[in-house]
PDB file of all heavy atoms in Angstrom:
ATOM      1  N   HIS A  26      -0.108  15.115  -9.018  1.00  0.00           N
ATOM      2  CA  HIS A  26      -0.692  14.747  -7.755  1.00  0.00           C
ATOM      3  C   HIS A  26      -1.748  15.676  -7.284  1.00  0.00           C
ATOM      4  O   HIS A  26      -2.790  15.374  -6.749  1.00  0.00           O
ATOM      5  CB  HIS A  26       0.455  14.620  -6.754  1.00  0.00           C
ATOM      6  CG  HIS A  26       0.029  14.053  -5.406  1.00  0.00           C
ATOM      7  ND1 HIS A  26      -0.375  12.711  -5.321  1.00  0.00           N
ATOM      8  CD2 HIS A  26      -0.126  14.542  -4.168  1.00  0.00           C
ATOM      9  CE1 HIS A  26      -0.637  12.371  -4.067  1.00  0.00           C
ATOM     10  NE2 HIS A  26      -0.571  13.542  -3.429  1.00  0.00           N
ATOM     11  N   GLN A  27      -1.480  16.993  -7.583  1.00  0.00           N
ATOM     12  CA  GLN A  27      -2.464  18.001  -7.184  1.00  0.00           C
ATOM     13  C   GLN A  27      -3.797  17.835  -8.022  1.00  0.00           C
ATOM     14  O   GLN A  27      -4.871  17.960  -7.447  1.00  0.00           O
ATOM     15  CB  GLN A  27      -1.899  19.435  -7.465  1.00  0.00           C
ATOM     16  CG  GLN A  27      -0.869  19.906  -6.411  1.00  0.00           C
ATOM     17  CD  GLN A  27      -0.137  21.139  -6.901  1.00  0.00           C
ATOM     18  OE1 GLN A  27       0.003  21.374  -8.035  1.00  0.00           O
ATOM     19  NE2 GLN A  27       0.323  21.859  -5.940  1.00  0.00           N
ATOM     20  N   TYR A  28      -3.558  17.395  -9.247  1.00  0.00           N
ATOM     21  CA  TYR A  28      -4.754  17.180 -10.085  1.00  0.00           C
ATOM     22  C   TYR A  28      -5.611  16.062  -9.450  1.00  0.00           C
ATOM     23  O   TYR A  28      -6.853  16.242  -9.400  1.00  0.00           O
ATOM     24  CB  TYR A  28      -4.297  16.909 -11.509  1.00  0.00           C
ATOM     25  CG  TYR A  28      -5.367  16.256 -12.388  1.00  0.00           C
ATOM     26  CD1 TYR A  28      -6.526  17.001 -12.663  1.00  0.00           C
ATOM     27  CD2 TYR A  28      -5.436  15.021 -12.856  1.00  0.00           C
ATOM     28  CE1 TYR A  28      -7.521  16.525 -13.440  1.00  0.00           C
ATOM     29  CE2 TYR A  28      -6.413  14.475 -13.532  1.00  0.00           C
ATOM     30  CZ  TYR A  28      -7.486  15.229 -13.845  1.00  0.00           C
ATOM     31  OH  TYR A  28      -8.561  14.756 -14.696  1.00  0.00           O
ATOM     32  N   VAL A  29      -5.032  14.870  -9.113  1.00  0.00           N
ATOM     33  CA  VAL A  29      -5.799  13.775  -8.533  1.00  0.00           C
ATOM     34  C   VAL A  29      -6.479  14.222  -7.310  1.00  0.00           C
ATOM     35  O   VAL A  29      -7.799  13.869  -7.001  1.00  0.00           O
ATOM     36  CB  VAL A  29      -4.846  12.540  -8.290  1.00  0.00           C
ATOM     37  CG1 VAL A  29      -5.665  11.382  -7.609  1.00  0.00           C
ATOM     38  CG2 VAL A  29      -4.286  12.039  -9.681  1.00  0.00           C
ATOM     39  N   THR A  30      -5.773  14.985  -6.436  1.00  0.00           N
ATOM     40  CA  THR A  30      -6.389  15.544  -5.246  1.00  0.00           C
ATOM     41  C   THR A  30      -7.530  16.514  -5.558  1.00  0.00           C
ATOM     42  O   THR A  30      -8.656  16.403  -4.975  1.00  0.00           O
ATOM     43  CB  THR A  30      -5.438  16.355  -4.312  1.00  0.00           C
ATOM     44  OG1 THR A  30      -4.355  15.531  -4.109  1.00  0.00           O
ATOM     45  CG2 THR A  30      -5.974  16.831  -3.131  1.00  0.00           C
ATOM     46  N   GLU A  31      -7.385  17.369  -6.556  1.00  0.00           N
ATOM     47  CA  GLU A  31      -8.365  18.346  -7.014  1.00  0.00           C
ATOM     48  C   GLU A  31      -9.550  17.458  -7.502  1.00  0.00           C
ATOM     49  O   GLU A  31     -10.849  17.749  -7.341  1.00  0.00           O
ATOM     50  CB  GLU A  31      -7.911  19.192  -8.101  1.00  0.00           C
ATOM     51  CG  GLU A  31      -8.679  20.479  -8.352  1.00  0.00           C
ATOM     52  CD  GLU A  31      -8.366  21.571  -7.279  1.00  0.00           C
ATOM     53  OE1 GLU A  31      -7.186  21.966  -7.134  1.00  0.00           O
ATOM     54  OE2 GLU A  31      -9.356  22.017  -6.634  1.00  0.00           O
ATOM     55  N   LEU A  32      -9.328  16.484  -8.306  1.00  0.00           N
ATOM     56  CA  LEU A  32     -10.379  15.576  -8.891  1.00  0.00           C
ATOM     57  C   LEU A  32     -11.092  14.905  -7.843  1.00  0.00           C
ATOM     58  O   LEU A  32     -12.296  14.720  -8.087  1.00  0.00           O
ATOM     59  CB  LEU A  32      -9.684  14.710  -9.914  1.00  0.00           C
ATOM     60  CG  LEU A  32     -10.660  14.046 -11.020  1.00  0.00           C
ATOM     61  CD1 LEU A  32     -11.108  15.190 -11.899  1.00  0.00           C
ATOM     62  CD2 LEU A  32      -9.816  13.246 -11.936  1.00  0.00           C
ATOM     63  N   THR A  33     -10.455  14.472  -6.797  1.00  0.00           N
ATOM     64  CA  THR A  33     -11.087  13.784  -5.693  1.00  0.00           C
ATOM     65  C   THR A  33     -12.172  14.765  -5.061  1.00  0.00           C
ATOM     66  O   THR A  33     -13.310  14.264  -4.878  1.00  0.00           O
ATOM     67  CB  THR A  33     -10.085  13.506  -4.535  1.00  0.00           C
ATOM     68  OG1 THR A  33      -9.191  12.491  -5.110  1.00  0.00           O
ATOM     69  CG2 THR A  33     -10.785  12.831  -3.375  1.00  0.00           C
ATOM     70  N   TYR A  34     -11.830  16.010  -4.904  1.00  0.00           N
ATOM     71  CA  TYR A  34     -12.855  17.019  -4.328  1.00  0.00           C
ATOM     72  C   TYR A  34     -14.100  17.060  -5.151  1.00  0.00           C
ATOM     73  O   TYR A  34     -15.268  17.117  -4.705  1.00  0.00           O
ATOM     74  CB  TYR A  34     -12.301  18.455  -4.213  1.00  0.00           C
ATOM     75  CG  TYR A  34     -11.038  18.552  -3.425  1.00  0.00           C
ATOM     76  CD1 TYR A  34     -10.082  19.463  -3.581  1.00  0.00           C
ATOM     77  CD2 TYR A  34     -10.890  17.671  -2.279  1.00  0.00           C
ATOM     78  CE1 TYR A  34      -8.989  19.655  -2.885  1.00  0.00           C
ATOM     79  CE2 TYR A  34      -9.709  17.821  -1.440  1.00  0.00           C
ATOM     80  CZ  TYR A  34      -8.786  18.836  -1.797  1.00  0.00           C
ATOM     81  OH  TYR A  34      -7.674  18.952  -0.990  1.00  0.00           O
ATOM     82  N   LEU A  35     -13.816  17.107  -6.548  1.00  0.00           N
ATOM     83  CA  LEU A  35     -15.020  17.227  -7.461  1.00  0.00           C
ATOM     84  C   LEU A  35     -15.771  15.996  -7.614  1.00  0.00           C
ATOM     85  O   LEU A  35     -16.969  16.000  -7.716  1.00  0.00           O
ATOM     86  CB  LEU A  35     -14.477  17.825  -8.868  1.00  0.00           C
ATOM     87  CG  LEU A  35     -13.891  19.164  -8.741  1.00  0.00           C
ATOM     88  CD1 LEU A  35     -13.181  19.467 -10.047  1.00  0.00           C
ATOM     89  CD2 LEU A  35     -14.946  20.255  -8.565  1.00  0.00           C
ATOM     90  N   LEU A  36     -15.048  14.873  -7.784  1.00  0.00           N
ATOM     91  CA  LEU A  36     -15.652  13.587  -8.004  1.00  0.00           C
ATOM     92  C   LEU A  36     -16.587  13.130  -6.801  1.00  0.00           C
ATOM     93  O   LEU A  36     -17.565  12.619  -6.978  1.00  0.00           O
ATOM     94  CB  LEU A  36     -14.648  12.509  -8.234  1.00  0.00           C
ATOM     95  CG  LEU A  36     -14.006  12.486  -9.658  1.00  0.00           C
ATOM     96  CD1 LEU A  36     -12.893  11.400  -9.640  1.00  0.00           C
ATOM     97  CD2 LEU A  36     -15.064  12.167 -10.689  1.00  0.00           C
ATOM     98  N   PHE A  37     -16.057  13.571  -5.582  1.00  0.00           N
ATOM     99  CA  PHE A  37     -16.907  13.188  -4.504  1.00  0.00           C
ATOM    100  C   PHE A  37     -18.281  13.833  -4.526  1.00  0.00           C
ATOM    101  O   PHE A  37     -19.334  13.137  -4.230  1.00  0.00           O
ATOM    102  CB  PHE A  37     -16.255  13.765  -3.210  1.00  0.00           C
ATOM    103  CG  PHE A  37     -16.933  13.313  -1.923  1.00  0.00           C
ATOM    104  CD1 PHE A  37     -16.621  12.171  -1.181  1.00  0.00           C
ATOM    105  CD2 PHE A  37     -17.887  14.110  -1.457  1.00  0.00           C
ATOM    106  CE1 PHE A  37     -17.223  11.813  -0.081  1.00  0.00           C
ATOM    107  CE2 PHE A  37     -18.660  13.887  -0.302  1.00  0.00           C
ATOM    108  CZ  PHE A  37     -18.263  12.647   0.430  1.00  0.00           C
ATOM    109  N   LEU A  38     -18.358  15.148  -4.872  1.00  0.00           N
ATOM    110  CA  LEU A  38     -19.587  15.828  -4.976  1.00  0.00           C
ATOM    111  C   LEU A  38     -20.463  15.202  -6.075  1.00  0.00           C
ATOM    112  O   LEU A  38     -21.639  14.937  -5.844  1.00  0.00           O
ATOM    113  CB  LEU A  38     -19.354  17.279  -5.363  1.00  0.00           C
ATOM    114  CG  LEU A  38     -18.528  18.134  -4.344  1.00  0.00           C
ATOM    115  CD1 LEU A  38     -18.249  19.512  -4.958  1.00  0.00           C
ATOM    116  CD2 LEU A  38     -19.341  18.246  -3.131  1.00  0.00           C
ATOM    117  N   LYS A  39     -19.869  14.821  -7.173  1.00  0.00           N
ATOM    118  CA  LYS A  39     -20.719  14.344  -8.347  1.00  0.00           C
ATOM    119  C   LYS A  39     -21.201  12.894  -7.996  1.00  0.00           C
ATOM    120  O   LYS A  39     -22.182  12.537  -8.168  1.00  0.00           O
ATOM    121  CB  LYS A  39     -19.787  14.263  -9.617  1.00  0.00           C
ATOM    122  CG  LYS A  39     -20.592  13.616 -10.787  1.00  0.00           C
ATOM    123  CD  LYS A  39     -21.785  14.351 -11.202  1.00  0.00           C
ATOM    124  CE  LYS A  39     -22.455  13.785 -12.464  1.00  0.00           C
ATOM    125  NZ  LYS A  39     -23.800  14.352 -12.611  1.00  0.00           N
ATOM    126  N   MET A  40     -20.195  12.093  -7.345  1.00  0.00           N
ATOM    127  CA  MET A  40     -20.656  10.670  -6.924  1.00  0.00           C
ATOM    128  C   MET A  40     -21.668  10.743  -5.911  1.00  0.00           C
ATOM    129  O   MET A  40     -22.486   9.776  -5.865  1.00  0.00           O
ATOM    130  CB  MET A  40     -19.378   9.931  -6.585  1.00  0.00           C
ATOM    131  CG  MET A  40     -18.426   9.574  -7.656  1.00  0.00           C
ATOM    132  SD  MET A  40     -16.903   8.853  -7.039  1.00  0.00           S
ATOM    133  CE  MET A  40     -16.127   8.372  -8.615  1.00  0.00           C
ATOM    134  N   ALA A  41     -21.662  11.645  -5.055  1.00  0.00           N
ATOM    135  CA  ALA A  41     -22.742  11.749  -3.986  1.00  0.00           C
ATOM    136  C   ALA A  41     -24.037  11.997  -4.577  1.00  0.00           C
ATOM    137  O   ALA A  41     -25.107  11.432  -4.191  1.00  0.00           O
ATOM    138  CB  ALA A  41     -22.341  12.894  -2.941  1.00  0.00           C
ATOM    139  N   GLN A  42     -24.078  12.777  -5.654  1.00  0.00           N
ATOM    140  CA  GLN A  42     -25.315  13.098  -6.333  1.00  0.00           C
ATOM    141  C   GLN A  42     -25.779  11.896  -7.109  1.00  0.00           C
ATOM    142  O   GLN A  42     -26.952  11.485  -7.031  1.00  0.00           O
ATOM    143  CB  GLN A  42     -25.143  14.216  -7.430  1.00  0.00           C
ATOM    144  CG  GLN A  42     -26.340  14.510  -8.164  1.00  0.00           C
ATOM    145  CD  GLN A  42     -26.020  15.423  -9.462  1.00  0.00           C
ATOM    146  OE1 GLN A  42     -25.365  15.095 -10.343  1.00  0.00           O
ATOM    147  NE2 GLN A  42     -26.547  16.684  -9.373  1.00  0.00           N
ATOM    148  N   GLU A  43     -24.844  11.081  -7.738  1.00  0.00           N
ATOM    149  CA  GLU A  43     -25.185   9.956  -8.495  1.00  0.00           C
ATOM    150  C   GLU A  43     -25.675   8.770  -7.680  1.00  0.00           C
ATOM    151  O   GLU A  43     -26.532   7.948  -8.137  1.00  0.00           O
ATOM    152  CB  GLU A  43     -24.051   9.532  -9.385  1.00  0.00           C
ATOM    153  CG  GLU A  43     -23.720  10.462 -10.505  1.00  0.00           C
ATOM    154  CD  GLU A  43     -24.758  10.546 -11.582  1.00  0.00           C
ATOM    155  OE1 GLU A  43     -25.488   9.606 -11.699  1.00  0.00           O
ATOM    156  OE2 GLU A  43     -24.843  11.653 -12.109  1.00  0.00           O
ATOM    157  N   THR A  44     -25.084   8.648  -6.526  1.00  0.00           N
ATOM    158  CA  THR A  44     -25.472   7.498  -5.677  1.00  0.00           C
ATOM    159  C   THR A  44     -26.585   7.937  -4.616  1.00  0.00           C
ATOM    160  O   THR A  44     -26.952   7.063  -3.748  1.00  0.00           O
ATOM    161  CB  THR A  44     -24.272   7.064  -4.866  1.00  0.00           C
ATOM    162  OG1 THR A  44     -23.587   8.134  -4.109  1.00  0.00           O
ATOM    163  CG2 THR A  44     -23.228   6.515  -5.842  1.00  0.00           C
ATOM    164  N   GLY A  45     -27.120   9.154  -4.648  1.00  0.00           N
ATOM    165  CA  GLY A  45     -28.210   9.458  -3.793  1.00  0.00           C
ATOM    166  C   GLY A  45     -27.811   9.620  -2.312  1.00  0.00           C
ATOM    167  O   GLY A  45     -28.656   9.408  -1.372  1.00  0.00           O
ATOM    168  N   SER A  46     -26.451  10.012  -2.110  1.00  0.00           N
ATOM    169  CA  SER A  46     -26.044  10.128  -0.749  1.00  0.00           C
ATOM    170  C   SER A  46     -25.692  11.583  -0.348  1.00  0.00           C
ATOM    171  O   SER A  46     -24.776  11.756   0.429  1.00  0.00           O
ATOM    172  CB  SER A  46     -24.757   9.205  -0.528  1.00  0.00           C
ATOM    173  OG  SER A  46     -23.769   9.526  -1.443  1.00  0.00           O
ATOM    174  N   GLU A  47     -26.306  12.562  -0.877  1.00  0.00           N
ATOM    175  CA  GLU A  47     -25.970  13.888  -0.643  1.00  0.00           C
ATOM    176  C   GLU A  47     -26.479  14.401   0.704  1.00  0.00           C
ATOM    177  O   GLU A  47     -26.158  15.497   1.049  1.00  0.00           O
ATOM    178  CB  GLU A  47     -26.654  14.735  -1.759  1.00  0.00           C
ATOM    179  CG  GLU A  47     -25.959  14.752  -3.137  1.00  0.00           C
ATOM    180  CD  GLU A  47     -26.534  15.734  -4.089  1.00  0.00           C
ATOM    181  OE1 GLU A  47     -27.677  15.717  -4.357  1.00  0.00           O
ATOM    182  OE2 GLU A  47     -25.732  16.501  -4.681  1.00  0.00           O
ATOM    183  N   ASN A  48     -27.182  13.554   1.341  1.00  0.00           N
ATOM    184  CA  ASN A  48     -27.592  13.964   2.766  1.00  0.00           C
ATOM    185  C   ASN A  48     -26.370  14.155   3.750  1.00  0.00           C
ATOM    186  O   ASN A  48     -26.586  14.750   4.791  1.00  0.00           O
ATOM    187  CB  ASN A  48     -28.562  12.887   3.346  1.00  0.00           C
ATOM    188  CG  ASN A  48     -28.055  11.530   3.421  1.00  0.00           C
ATOM    189  OD1 ASN A  48     -27.041  11.319   2.794  1.00  0.00           O
ATOM    190  ND2 ASN A  48     -28.644  10.692   4.188  1.00  0.00           N
ATOM    191  N   SER A  49     -25.210  13.641   3.322  1.00  0.00           N
ATOM    192  CA  SER A  49     -23.986  13.755   4.092  1.00  0.00           C
ATOM    193  C   SER A  49     -23.361  15.226   3.849  1.00  0.00           C
ATOM    194  O   SER A  49     -22.423  15.630   4.482  1.00  0.00           O
ATOM    195  CB  SER A  49     -23.030  12.736   3.879  1.00  0.00           C
ATOM    196  OG  SER A  49     -22.479  12.803   2.462  1.00  0.00           O
ATOM    197  N   LEU A  50     -23.894  15.966   2.935  1.00  0.00           N
ATOM    198  CA  LEU A  50     -23.431  17.305   2.513  1.00  0.00           C
ATOM    199  C   LEU A  50     -24.456  18.380   2.915  1.00  0.00           C
ATOM    200  O   LEU A  50     -25.558  18.129   2.676  1.00  0.00           O
ATOM    201  CB  LEU A  50     -23.149  17.246   0.956  1.00  0.00           C
ATOM    202  CG  LEU A  50     -22.265  16.264   0.320  1.00  0.00           C
ATOM    203  CD1 LEU A  50     -22.188  16.366  -1.113  1.00  0.00           C
ATOM    204  CD2 LEU A  50     -20.834  16.308   0.923  1.00  0.00           C
ATOM    205  N   PRO A  51     -23.915  19.396   3.366  1.00  0.00           N
ATOM    206  CA  PRO A  51     -24.791  20.586   3.748  1.00  0.00           C
ATOM    207  C   PRO A  51     -25.570  21.072   2.541  1.00  0.00           C
ATOM    208  O   PRO A  51     -25.022  21.065   1.450  1.00  0.00           O
ATOM    209  CB  PRO A  51     -23.839  21.732   4.333  1.00  0.00           C
ATOM    210  CG  PRO A  51     -22.573  20.921   4.567  1.00  0.00           C
ATOM    211  CD  PRO A  51     -22.511  19.771   3.668  1.00  0.00           C
ATOM    212  N   LYS A  52     -26.784  21.403   2.694  1.00  0.00           N
ATOM    213  CA  LYS A  52     -27.585  21.984   1.550  1.00  0.00           C
ATOM    214  C   LYS A  52     -26.926  23.258   1.170  1.00  0.00           C
ATOM    215  O   LYS A  52     -26.387  24.119   1.883  1.00  0.00           O
ATOM    216  CB  LYS A  52     -29.004  22.245   2.004  1.00  0.00           C
ATOM    217  CG  LYS A  52     -29.886  20.915   2.250  1.00  0.00           C
ATOM    218  CD  LYS A  52     -31.281  21.343   2.575  1.00  0.00           C
ATOM    219  CE  LYS A  52     -32.102  19.935   2.707  1.00  0.00           C
ATOM    220  NZ  LYS A  52     -33.598  20.270   3.146  1.00  0.00           N
ATOM    221  N   GLY A  53     -26.974  23.547  -0.182  1.00  0.00           N
ATOM    222  CA  GLY A  53     -26.310  24.646  -0.744  1.00  0.00           C
ATOM    223  C   GLY A  53     -24.884  24.461  -1.136  1.00  0.00           C
ATOM    224  O   GLY A  53     -24.232  25.307  -1.679  1.00  0.00           O
ATOM    225  N   TYR A  54     -24.298  23.326  -0.728  1.00  0.00           N
ATOM    226  CA  TYR A  54     -22.980  23.033  -1.003  1.00  0.00           C
ATOM    227  C   TYR A  54     -22.717  21.647  -1.662  1.00  0.00           C
ATOM    228  O   TYR A  54     -21.967  20.817  -1.255  1.00  0.00           O
ATOM    229  CB  TYR A  54     -22.075  23.073   0.291  1.00  0.00           C
ATOM    230  CG  TYR A  54     -21.950  24.430   0.891  1.00  0.00           C
ATOM    231  CD1 TYR A  54     -22.948  24.954   1.743  1.00  0.00           C
ATOM    232  CD2 TYR A  54     -21.010  25.334   0.442  1.00  0.00           C
ATOM    233  CE1 TYR A  54     -22.889  26.255   2.273  1.00  0.00           C
ATOM    234  CE2 TYR A  54     -20.891  26.620   1.035  1.00  0.00           C
ATOM    235  CZ  TYR A  54     -21.912  27.010   1.982  1.00  0.00           C
ATOM    236  OH  TYR A  54     -21.721  28.350   2.399  1.00  0.00           O
ATOM    237  N   ARG A  55     -23.632  21.419  -2.723  1.00  0.00           N
ATOM    238  CA  ARG A  55     -23.643  20.176  -3.388  1.00  0.00           C
ATOM    239  C   ARG A  55     -23.305  20.378  -4.861  1.00  0.00           C
ATOM    240  O   ARG A  55     -23.061  21.522  -5.371  1.00  0.00           O
ATOM    241  CB  ARG A  55     -25.005  19.463  -3.254  1.00  0.00           C
ATOM    242  CG  ARG A  55     -25.265  19.261  -1.744  1.00  0.00           C
ATOM    243  CD  ARG A  55     -26.740  18.621  -1.565  1.00  0.00           C
ATOM    244  NE  ARG A  55     -26.918  18.371  -0.193  1.00  0.00           N
ATOM    245  CZ  ARG A  55     -28.060  17.967   0.455  1.00  0.00           C
ATOM    246  NH1 ARG A  55     -29.085  17.827  -0.394  1.00  0.00           N
ATOM    247  NH2 ARG A  55     -28.152  17.753   1.757  1.00  0.00           N
ATOM    248  N   TRP A  56     -23.236  19.304  -5.697  1.00  0.00           N
ATOM    249  CA  TRP A  56     -22.751  19.372  -7.045  1.00  0.00           C
ATOM    250  C   TRP A  56     -23.647  20.331  -7.884  1.00  0.00           C
ATOM    251  O   TRP A  56     -23.063  21.122  -8.702  1.00  0.00           O
ATOM    252  CB  TRP A  56     -22.856  17.893  -7.681  1.00  0.00           C
ATOM    253  CG  TRP A  56     -22.348  17.919  -9.145  1.00  0.00           C
ATOM    254  CD1 TRP A  56     -23.262  17.792 -10.164  1.00  0.00           C
ATOM    255  CD2 TRP A  56     -21.160  17.982  -9.565  1.00  0.00           C
ATOM    256  NE1 TRP A  56     -22.406  17.866 -11.343  1.00  0.00           N
ATOM    257  CE2 TRP A  56     -21.136  17.937 -10.983  1.00  0.00           C
ATOM    258  CE3 TRP A  56     -19.936  18.222  -8.983  1.00  0.00           C
ATOM    259  CZ2 TRP A  56     -19.974  18.000 -11.864  1.00  0.00           C
ATOM    260  CZ3 TRP A  56     -18.689  18.333  -9.850  1.00  0.00           C
ATOM    261  CH2 TRP A  56     -18.772  18.306 -11.209  1.00  0.00           C
ATOM    262  N   ALA A  57     -24.926  20.222  -7.725  1.00  0.00           N
ATOM    263  CA  ALA A  57     -25.893  21.075  -8.493  1.00  0.00           C
ATOM    264  C   ALA A  57     -25.656  22.518  -8.225  1.00  0.00           C
ATOM    265  O   ALA A  57     -25.767  23.359  -9.126  1.00  0.00           O
ATOM    266  CB  ALA A  57     -27.351  20.729  -8.227  1.00  0.00           C
ATOM    267  N   ASP A  58     -25.215  22.827  -7.049  1.00  0.00           N
ATOM    268  CA  ASP A  58     -24.958  24.314  -6.642  1.00  0.00           C
ATOM    269  C   ASP A  58     -23.648  24.781  -7.347  1.00  0.00           C
ATOM    270  O   ASP A  58     -23.585  25.860  -7.729  1.00  0.00           O
ATOM    271  CB  ASP A  58     -24.855  24.333  -5.132  1.00  0.00           C
ATOM    272  CG  ASP A  58     -26.018  23.888  -4.449  1.00  0.00           C
ATOM    273  OD1 ASP A  58     -27.121  24.440  -4.588  1.00  0.00           O
ATOM    274  OD2 ASP A  58     -25.904  22.956  -3.580  1.00  0.00           O
ATOM    275  N   LEU A  59     -22.765  23.838  -7.496  1.00  0.00           N
ATOM    276  CA  LEU A  59     -21.547  24.204  -8.128  1.00  0.00           C
ATOM    277  C   LEU A  59     -21.700  24.375  -9.735  1.00  0.00           C
ATOM    278  O   LEU A  59     -21.236  25.273 -10.349  1.00  0.00           O
ATOM    279  CB  LEU A  59     -20.368  23.205  -7.896  1.00  0.00           C
ATOM    280  CG  LEU A  59     -19.059  23.341  -8.574  1.00  0.00           C
ATOM    281  CD1 LEU A  59     -18.354  24.670  -7.840  1.00  0.00           C
ATOM    282  CD2 LEU A  59     -18.108  22.173  -8.356  1.00  0.00           C
ATOM    283  N   VAL A  60     -22.492  23.453 -10.251  1.00  0.00           N
ATOM    284  CA  VAL A  60     -22.818  23.505 -11.698  1.00  0.00           C
ATOM    285  C   VAL A  60     -23.601  24.769 -12.030  1.00  0.00           C
ATOM    286  O   VAL A  60     -23.342  25.276 -13.117  1.00  0.00           O
ATOM    287  CB  VAL A  60     -23.568  22.277 -12.130  1.00  0.00           C
ATOM    288  CG1 VAL A  60     -24.021  22.287 -13.579  1.00  0.00           C
ATOM    289  CG2 VAL A  60     -22.673  20.980 -11.883  1.00  0.00           C
ATOM    290  N   ALA A  61     -24.390  25.276 -11.207  1.00  0.00           N
ATOM    291  CA  ALA A  61     -25.291  26.372 -11.396  1.00  0.00           C
ATOM    292  C   ALA A  61     -24.591  27.662 -11.599  1.00  0.00           C
ATOM    293  O   ALA A  61     -25.136  28.575 -12.184  1.00  0.00           O
ATOM    294  CB  ALA A  61     -26.295  26.472 -10.350  1.00  0.00           C
ATOM    295  N   LYS A  62     -23.382  27.677 -11.220  1.00  0.00           N
ATOM    296  CA  LYS A  62     -22.508  28.982 -11.271  1.00  0.00           C
ATOM    297  C   LYS A  62     -21.432  28.844 -12.410  1.00  0.00           C
ATOM    298  O   LYS A  62     -21.067  27.742 -12.837  1.00  0.00           O
ATOM    299  CB  LYS A  62     -21.881  29.242  -9.968  1.00  0.00           C
ATOM    300  CG  LYS A  62     -22.798  29.498  -8.787  1.00  0.00           C
ATOM    301  CD  LYS A  62     -22.107  29.584  -7.487  1.00  0.00           C
ATOM    302  CE  LYS A  62     -23.189  30.015  -6.384  1.00  0.00           C
ATOM    303  NZ  LYS A  62     -24.251  29.172  -6.329  1.00  0.00           N
ATOM    304  N   ASP A  63     -20.965  29.985 -12.844  1.00  0.00           N
ATOM    305  CA  ASP A  63     -19.891  29.944 -13.767  1.00  0.00           C
ATOM    306  C   ASP A  63     -18.929  31.150 -13.552  1.00  0.00           C
ATOM    307  O   ASP A  63     -19.265  31.993 -12.838  1.00  0.00           O
ATOM    308  CB  ASP A  63     -20.386  29.855 -15.233  1.00  0.00           C
ATOM    309  CG  ASP A  63     -21.278  31.046 -15.616  1.00  0.00           C
ATOM    310  OD1 ASP A  63     -21.149  32.117 -14.943  1.00  0.00           O
ATOM    311  OD2 ASP A  63     -22.061  30.909 -16.502  1.00  0.00           O
ATOM    312  N   GLY A  64     -17.798  31.108 -14.308  1.00  0.00           N
ATOM    313  CA  GLY A  64     -16.842  32.113 -14.288  1.00  0.00           C
ATOM    314  C   GLY A  64     -16.183  32.335 -12.891  1.00  0.00           C
ATOM    315  O   GLY A  64     -16.127  31.346 -12.148  1.00  0.00           O
TER     316      GLY A  64
END
Side-chain angles (χ1 to χ4, degrees):
H26 190 67
Q27 287 170 331
Y28 167 63
V29 174
T30 303
E31 199 81 56
L32 205 55
T33 296
Y34 300 150
L35 293 168
L36 284 175
F37 183 92
L38 297 173
K39 180 60 178 172
M40 288 174 172
Q42 181 192 66
E43 292 294 327
T44 55
S46 57
E47 287 187 305
N48 58 344
S49 62
L50 304 175
K52 288 183 178 178
Y54 293 89
R55 299 174 179 177
W56 181 253
D58 303 302
L59 182 63
V60 173
K62 297 174 173 55
D63 59 23

